[in-house]
Amino acid sequence: MKNFIPVLRSCVLFDGIANDDLFAITGCLGAWVKEVKKGQVIFSEGDSTNWIGIVLSGSIQIMKEDYNGNRTIVSLCQPAELFAESFACAGGGVLPVSILAAEDSSVMLIDSHRVCVSCSNACTFHSHLIQNLLKIVANKNIQFNQKIEILSMRTTREKLLAYLNAEAKRAGNSSFTIPYDRQALADYLGVERSAMSAEISKLRNDGIIESEKNYFKLLI
């Protein structure tokens, strides 16, 4: 657990929590660490869970798969980010998505009931946790709305440009790297990989972007 203290310190859920309280808090919340291999499912679609996950290392994909096996990546969670928090706090609902490791990863799972309800020890940090959790859920809703805007674009080119502009704005720079390879990016945008790759080539030829693997630069 000590190896992951720097990651936990940068996790928004623990914002305002003193360093000395981090060990106490993980015990109070029933936290435990799970090692997962690339592709291993942490939670499956149709499951119910009361566990909130925190990525300690690696990365986690939240994925939706249709009846024909076509998948859409809903989001990618990286170190210090939470996953499944909305579903866990909903109380008894089933997951509409699957959550799996995008690479070999370590995750911490904490009991959502212990986050939202003060324990018998009357720990002073519970009010901070609840406030921080509300902030995280609100920000996730904003991000979800931004993705809806991207997916509402009519063409693959428009979706791709909307996504790249959003990533540049998030990075605060016209040059940036994205967390997806070509197939994962196509899955995130809900488009065919071949069509997307063709549009990337066209955007390069038109002098709109530079790109190499997951590096992009907006030129206009």
Side-chain angles (χ1 to χ4, degrees):
M1 190 75 71
K2 289 183 178 180
N3 295 337
F4 299 118
I5 290 297
V7 178
L8 295 178
R9 272 264 49 88
S10 61
C11 178
V12 176
L13 183 63
F14 302 120
D15 187 36
I17 307 298
N19 287 337
D20 293 342
D21 287 332
L22 276 177
F23 282 111
I25 212 172
T26 52
C28 182
L29 300 179
W32 57 288
V33 175
K34 181 180 179 70
E35 305 290 337
V36 287
K37 295 293 185 181
K38 181 179 180 179
Q40 182 177 342
V41 174
I42 301 171
F43 300 127
S44 296
E45 181 177 352
D47 288 347
S48 61
T49 183
N50 66 307
W51 294 102
I52 295 172
I54 302 173
V55 183
L56 300 176
S57 67
S59 57
I60 301 300
Q61 282 183 350
I62 300 175
M63 185 185 73
K64 180 75 175 178
E65 190 167 351
D66 66 18
Y67 181 78
N68 296 315
N70 300 312
R71 69 173 194 167
T72 299
I73 295 176
V74 178
S75 62
L76 182 75
C77 301
Q78 298 180 311
E81 294 183 339
L82 269 64
F83 60 90
E85 70 285 344
S86 296
F87 308 118
C89 293
V94 297
L95 291 169
V97 295
S98 293
I99 301 174
L100 65 156
E103 56 187 304
D104 291 352
S105 306
S106 300
V107 300
M108 175 181 286
L109 299 174
I110 60 178
D111 189 339
S112 63
H113 297 155
R114 297 195 186 187
V115 176
C116 298
V117 179
S118 295
C119 67
S120 58
N121 296 327
C123 301
T124 57
F125 47 67
H126 266 104
S127 61
H128 282 298
L129 288 177
I130 294 171
Q131 292 172 20
N132 292 341
L133 183 58
L134 286 172
K135 183 187 298 182
I136 291 168
V137 172
N139 285 329
K140 290 282 185 76
N141 283 336
I142 292 171
Q143 292 171 11
F144 182 68
N145 286 331
Q146 290 173 339
K147 182 174 182 181
I148 290 176
E149 290 181 10
I150 292 171
L151 296 183
S152 68
M153 299 296 176
R154 291 177 178 270
T155 67
T156 297
R157 184 187 183 94
E158 289 173 341
K159 290 179 180 180
L160 184 59
L161 281 173
Y163 172 74
L164 293 177
N165 276 286
E167 286 297 295
K169 186 178 292 185
R170 184 185 63 81
N173 197 306
S174 61
S175 300
F176 53 90
T177 58
I178 65 172
Y180 302 114
D181 60 21
R182 289 290 187 266
Q183 183 60 59
L185 178 58
D187 291 339
Y188 179 81
L189 297 175
V191 299
E192 292 292 333
R193 175 177 175 173
S194 57
M196 185 197 69
S197 296
E199 288 299 338
I200 290 175
S201 295
K202 290 178 183 177
L203 290 170
R204 281 201 302 258
N205 293 336
D206 291 344
I208 297 174
I209 65 169
E210 292 179 359
S211 70
E212 183 178 354
K213 296 183 178 179
N214 65 337
Y215 165 81
F216 287 86
K217 181 178 181 178
L218 297 181
L219 301 177
I220 61 173

